[in-house]
Amino acid sequence: VEGRAAGLAAVRDTVRPGAADAVARLRALGLEVWMITGDHAATARAVAAEVGIEHVLAEVLPAGKADAVAGLQRAGHVVAMVGDGINDAPALAQADLGVAIGTGTDVAMAASDLTLVGGDLGGLVGALALSRRTVATIRQGLVWAFAYNVLLIPVAAGALYAWDGLLLDPVLASAAMAMSSVSVVTNALRLRRFRPPATAAEILRPPLLARLRQGAYLAGVAVVALALGVAFTVASRSDAAERGMNGLLAWQAGMGMPMRPAMSAMEEAEVAPLRPHDAGLRVDVDVPADLAPGRPATLTVSVRDAATGALVTDVVRTHQVWMHMILTRADLGTFAHIHPEPTGTPGVFAVTAQLPTGGRYALHTEFRRQGQMADVLDARELRVPGAAPAAAPPVGEVREQVTGGVRVRLDGEAHAGGRSDLAFRFTDAATGRPVTDLQPYLGAAGHVVVMAADGSSFGHRHAETEDGRGRPVLAVPGTRFGPDLDLHVTFDRPGTYRLWAQFRLADGTVITAPFTLEAE
């Protein structure tokens, strides 16, 4: 008035409630906060100081806001732009992340990538914290899934087979894959319980419990998965589990049988074995030069293609072993059923044998090639230095033996020139009670070797039984046999025959019962 100041009127934008706290939490997240405004520089600096913003660009025209964002991007920054007006739309579109305020203009919301419901800037802090937690969860899922496969693929490939024969059963592999998916998905679902940090201090110094929860869940899942894996591995080795489909497939593979079209028709057919020459093979058996009675000796069996001389690579397990080797002295006074194992060289197998006395021994080696139903049987003579004991020819039939506390009786008539139906009966030698808990032995109810007394013939047969519907009972793990087992044998000609029958008792002991029969 009359040249003198009589009063002052000041107009300014009001700061949104919670803006200062939101800026503090953004800075706690490690972000730089800039103010870009068209307002007067003094007003902009005052507002920036009030809310804690250090970087201020004032008196910027609408087009200049977009240029300012582009400049920050050229400097290597990833820029999120927050605005609510028409003038902010170009900058929102230019930014890497455009964030509109829900109470602002429609143009701003259309140009943005994210719209905050309401006018609270704290929602921006929550959105950024949630996005970081989401990315961390994705990384956890990737690490977990890859770790699962990195650990289990070698196990599936047999890396632990040398230790207790541990393999990854297909059922366990599928369960492990499911556990991987369950752990990743459930870990992601934990985001539903996400709560944004309430203060900057909570971001800078997260509560101990919250930090423990981040890693404890997956660690807990890993412990549970390991415990389940151990439990299922133990369960998979039980008799009950091995009687399932996987057990049947594993049993079938160990039997050396080709896959049959109908799994319900899995059975073993008794097919006469082939001589190596008829199978197109050459079998060599190497013995140590210092072979002596009573001294362990390593016998090496090599199987070659007769035409090329190359070692064969397709010998498979038959009755759960790679080879059956039967050693009997010429007078049939000794018997040994042993099993050569792979040496690491395809087609070459070795076994340690101990021959009790000097003399001549009959050596029968039986094996099977992949995809074949007939075994290959190699027969040869082995001489051990030293005198052989005087032969004691069998006198009369021997139909009953007691071994391992079990009385084994062989009933039935032996007829030459046709099939003879015989039967074993098992009773407890002390109590006379029937024995009904015989276990499978090498994929059969029992193994029986039949030889003429003069050693001129050899047969390897298997004891068997039928269920109530007349179907053969497969000797899969978990099956129990007794007190009766059938044996079907063809005796080529009349005369005396020796039989060695082998069975596995309930405690795992393998017994051998020798018999003598007269075929008429």
Side-chain angles (χ1 to χ4, degrees), residues 206-245:
L208 178 61
L209 183 59
R211 284 181 287 171
L212 291 176
R213 285 175 178 171
Q214 289 300 310
Y217 179 79
L218 286 179
V221 171
V223 172
V224 171
L226 182 61
L228 289 175
V230 172
F232 283 133
T233 299
V234 172
S236 70
R237 297 189 174 192
S238 66
D239 289 344
E242 290 183 344
R243 295 183 72 179
M245 181 55 68

Side-chain angles (χ1 to χ4, degrees), residues 40-59:
H40 192 275
T43 302
R45 284 194 296 270
V47 174
E50 185 176 349
V51 298
I53 296 176
E54 296 180 355
H55 308 282
V56 180
L57 294 177
E59 302 178 8

Side-chain angles (χ1 to χ4, degrees), residues 30-103:
L31 303 176
E32 289 185 6
V33 182
W34 289 62
M35 175 187 287
I36 305 176
T37 178
D39 290 343
H40 192 275
T43 302
R45 284 194 296 270
V47 174
E50 185 176 349
V51 298
I53 296 176
E54 296 180 355
H55 308 282
V56 180
L57 294 177
E59 302 178 8
V60 179
L61 298 175
K65 291 184 178 181
D67 293 338
V69 170
L72 291 172
Q73 291 173 327
R74 286 193 295 272
H77 298 287
V78 178
V79 180
M81 170 68 185
V82 184
D84 62 352
I86 296 175
N87 294 339
D88 297 324
L92 290 171
Q94 174 65 39
D96 297 287
L97 173 65
V99 182
I101 305 298
T103 57

Side-chain angles (χ1 to χ4, degrees), residues 146-192:
F146 277 110
Y148 236 80
N149 288 282
V150 167
L151 290 175
L152 292 182
I153 286 176
V155 177
L160 298 181
Y161 183 76
W163 178 74
D164 200 30
L166 183 61
L167 291 173
L168 190 62
D169 186 274
V171 171
L172 296 181
S174 61
M177 201 66 219
M179 269 307 284
S180 174
S181 300
V182 167
S183 62
V184 171
V185 171
T186 54
N187 187 49
L189 289 175
R190 295 169 64 215
L191 291 171
R192 298 174 63 184

Side-chain angles (χ1 to χ4, degrees), residues 178-430:
M179 269 307 284
S180 174
S181 300
V182 167
S183 62
V184 171
V185 171
T186 54
N187 187 49
L189 289 175
R190 295 169 64 215
L191 291 171
R192 298 174 63 184
R193 299 197 301 269
F194 172 79
R195 295 293 180 271
T199 63
E202 187 177 334
I203 298 174
L204 295 172
R205 292 179 296 278
L208 178 61
L209 183 59
R211 284 181 287 171
L212 291 176
R213 285 175 178 171
Q214 289 300 310
Y217 179 79
L218 286 179
V221 171
V223 172
V224 171
L226 182 61
L228 289 175
V230 172
F232 283 133
T233 299
V234 172
S236 70
R237 297 189 174 192
S238 66
D239 289 344
E242 290 183 344
R243 295 183 72 179
M245 181 55 68
N246 282 326
L248 289 175
L249 292 174
W251 173 82
Q252 184 187 24
M255 295 293 287
M257 297 190 302
M259 185 69 69
R260 298 179 63 89
M263 294 305 300
S264 60
M266 281 195 310
E267 61 184 356
E268 179 194 4
E270 292 285 357
V271 180
L274 301 174
R275 294 180 301 171
H277 178 269
D278 296 332
L281 299 174
R282 189 185 86 219
V283 178
D284 300 318
V285 180
D286 297 325
V287 299
D290 58 349
L291 185 64
R295 181 187 301 172
T298 299
L299 308 182
T300 303
V301 182
S302 301
V303 184
R304 300 178 181 274
D305 185 279
T308 65
L311 291 167
V312 302
T313 60
D314 59 352
V315 174
V316 296
R317 291 179 182 270
T318 170
H319 278 278
Q320 301 180 340
V321 294
W322 294 98
M323 286 184 171
H324 296 266
M325 180 178 283
I326 311 298
L327 275 164
T328 54
R329 201 169 55 206
D331 63 350
L332 304 186
T334 66
F335 172 83
H337 182 185
I338 54 181
H339 310 105
E341 291 289 327
T343 61
T345 301
V348 180
F349 303 82
V351 66
T352 299
Q354 185 169 313
L355 305 171
T357 68
R360 295 183 299 110
Y361 285 81
L363 177 63
H364 292 86
T365 305
E366 197 171 32
F367 60 92
R368 184 174 298 181
R369 301 185 72 180
Q370 186 174 19
Q372 301 299 314
M373 290 295 291
D375 290 336
V376 178
L377 176 62
D378 174 73
R380 65 184 61 230
E381 185 178 277
L382 181 65
R383 290 184 176 272
V384 180
V395 178
E397 292 192 338
V398 178
R399 292 282 191 142
E400 188 172 285
Q401 293 285 357
V402 176
T403 177
V406 176
R407 186 181 305 277
V408 186
R409 177 168 180 78
L410 179 60
D411 296 322
E413 298 296 328
H415 302 285
R419 193 180 84 163
S420 298
D421 296 325
L422 308 175
F424 294 102
R425 181 162 182 82
F426 303 86
T427 57
D428 187 286

Side-chain angles (χ1 to χ4, degrees), residues 135-152:
V135 172
T137 301
I138 292 172
R139 289 173 178 167
Q140 290 172 351
L142 287 173
V143 170
W144 178 259
F146 277 110
Y148 236 80
N149 288 282
V150 167
L151 290 175
L152 292 182

